[in-house]
């Protein structure tokens, strides 16, 4: 990708390291473009990101030739080369093979190559152990997500500074309601992944099933009691209404019988 003003006097080519895309140069590209007067090009190495995966050996000589061909494609005679990690090794190879095309060389977190030439420090060894342990962690039952998280944290530590990461504002996570049954499922799944045949995992799974079972039983029993109480209440109300109706009819009959007997008899002699 090309950013900035085409034909600017300052031309900068960024070369990224192993298994990282050109998006890692976003902060540097934005700063240079904001200053103005720069023509910036970033790209993905072969076999990485949006680039193709051609057959053959993936050596620094071949990748340096790729960078030189890219400069030919954008019609650059020379440029300032910036390389990070393995990209720094590619930049050094580009300077060795095409010295007239390199105006300046900026090397970040890189070395000349060779396993015993320069051993990394404690921090570098820690990062290297995380990279080597990722395939082993991926084989665990729940290790795929953990391995991808390890790789993401490693890329963030290597490619970005803490101040830049703290300056990025992320939206707050939206809270979600998680019912009790879902929580028991997660607990039983974690216990089953940690120890499939242990007593603890069986106890947790049994506890979850019993909680769900007894919860349903309590709900069903409460529902039955409520229905029974509602039926009994309706029956008592119907009985009261019927008794009130019977009393009212009896009262009307007594009143009607007394009035007819006093006014319908023969006159006295």
């Amino acid at each position: 990708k090309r950013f900035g003003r085409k034909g600017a006097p300052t031309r900068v080519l960024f070369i990224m390291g192993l298994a990282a895309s050109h998006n890692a140069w976003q902060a540097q590209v934005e700063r240079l473009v904001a200053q103005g007067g720069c023509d910036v090009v970033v790209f993905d190495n072969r076999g990485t990101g949006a680039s193709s995966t051609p057959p053959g050996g993936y050596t620094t000589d071949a990748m340096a030739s790729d960078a030189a061909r890219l400069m030919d494609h954008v019609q650059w005679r020379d440029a300032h080369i910036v390389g990070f990690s393995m990209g720094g090794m590619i930049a050094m190879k580009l300077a060795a093979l095409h010295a007239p095309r390199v105006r300046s060389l900026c090397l970040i977190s890189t070395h000349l190559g060779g396993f015993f030439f320069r051993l990394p420090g404690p921090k570098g060894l820690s990062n290297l152990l995380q990279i080597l342990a990722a395939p082993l962690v991926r084989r665990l039952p729940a290790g795929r997500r953990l391995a991808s998280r390890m790789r993401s944290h490693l890329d963030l530590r290597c490619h970005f500074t803490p101040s830049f990461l703290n300056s990025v504002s992320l939206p707050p996570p939206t809270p979600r309601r998680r019912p009790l049954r879902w929580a028991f499922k997660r607990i039983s799944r974690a216990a089953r992944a940690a120890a499939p045949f242990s007593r603890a995992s069986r106890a947790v799974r049994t506890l979850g099933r019993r909680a769900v079972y007894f919860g349903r039983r309590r709900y069903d029993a409460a529902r039955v009691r409520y229905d029974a109480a509602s039926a009994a209440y309706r029956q008592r109300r119907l009985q009261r209404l019927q008794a009130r109706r019977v009393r009212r009819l009896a009262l009307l009959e007594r009143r009607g019988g007394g009035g007819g007997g006093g006014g319908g008899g023969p006159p006295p002699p």
Side-chain angles (χ1 to χ4, degrees), residues 41-66:
V41 170
V42 293
F43 68 100
D44 294 332
N45 293 315
R46 56 170 62 191
T48 305
S51 296
S52 60
T53 55
Y58 284 46
T59 60
T60 54
D61 294 343
M63 294 183 179
S65 300
D66 294 341

Side-chain angles (χ1 to χ4, degrees), residues 122-144:
K123 196 171 183 179
L125 287 175
S126 174
N127 296 336
L128 180 62
L129 289 177
Q130 291 186 23
I131 294 175
L132 296 177
L136 301 177
V137 175
R138 193 179 295 272
R139 297 179 182 178
L140 298 176
R144 181 172 298 180

Side-chain angles (χ1 to χ4, degrees), residues 56-124:
Y58 284 46
T59 60
T60 54
D61 294 343
M63 294 183 179
S65 300
D66 294 341
R69 294 192 189 97
L70 178 60
M71 293 175 64
D72 294 335
H73 178 71
V74 296
Q75 299 179 357
W76 282 2
R77 184 180 68 256
D78 53 11
H80 301 278
I81 310 300
V82 182
F84 170 77
S85 188
M86 188 188 74
M89 302 171 68
I90 299 172
M92 286 186 283
K93 186 65 69 172
L94 178 64
L97 298 177
H98 307 277
R101 310 197 66 174
V102 179
R103 299 188 64 181
S104 67
L105 198 61
C106 179
L107 305 176
I108 308 169
S109 183
T110 186
H111 60 91
L112 298 177
F115 185 77
F116 295 102
F117 187 80
R118 180 183 176 187
L119 293 177
K123 196 171 183 179

Side-chain angles (χ1 to χ4, degrees), residues 185-251:
K185 281 187 176 181
R186 289 297 299 269
I187 294 174
S188 62
R189 190 181 303 168
R192 188 165 57 251
F197 303 104
S198 63
R199 294 183 178 179
S201 62
R202 294 175 186 172
V204 171
R205 292 199 301 271
T206 305
L207 179 61
R209 294 194 187 102
R210 286 182 178 178
V212 175
Y213 174 72
F214 285 113
R216 288 179 179 175
R217 285 192 59 184
R218 291 181 61 182
Y219 173 80
D220 294 340
R223 186 70 183 181
V224 169
R225 290 196 299 270
Y226 174 78
D227 294 341
S230 300
Y233 172 77
R234 289 194 296 268
Q235 185 67 23
R236 290 195 300 270
R237 183 173 177 81
L238 182 60
Q239 292 176 359
R240 286 198 298 269
L241 291 176
Q242 290 178 354
R244 186 181 301 175
R245 185 177 180 183
V246 169
R247 290 197 300 271
R248 184 174 297 178
L249 291 176
L251 181 60

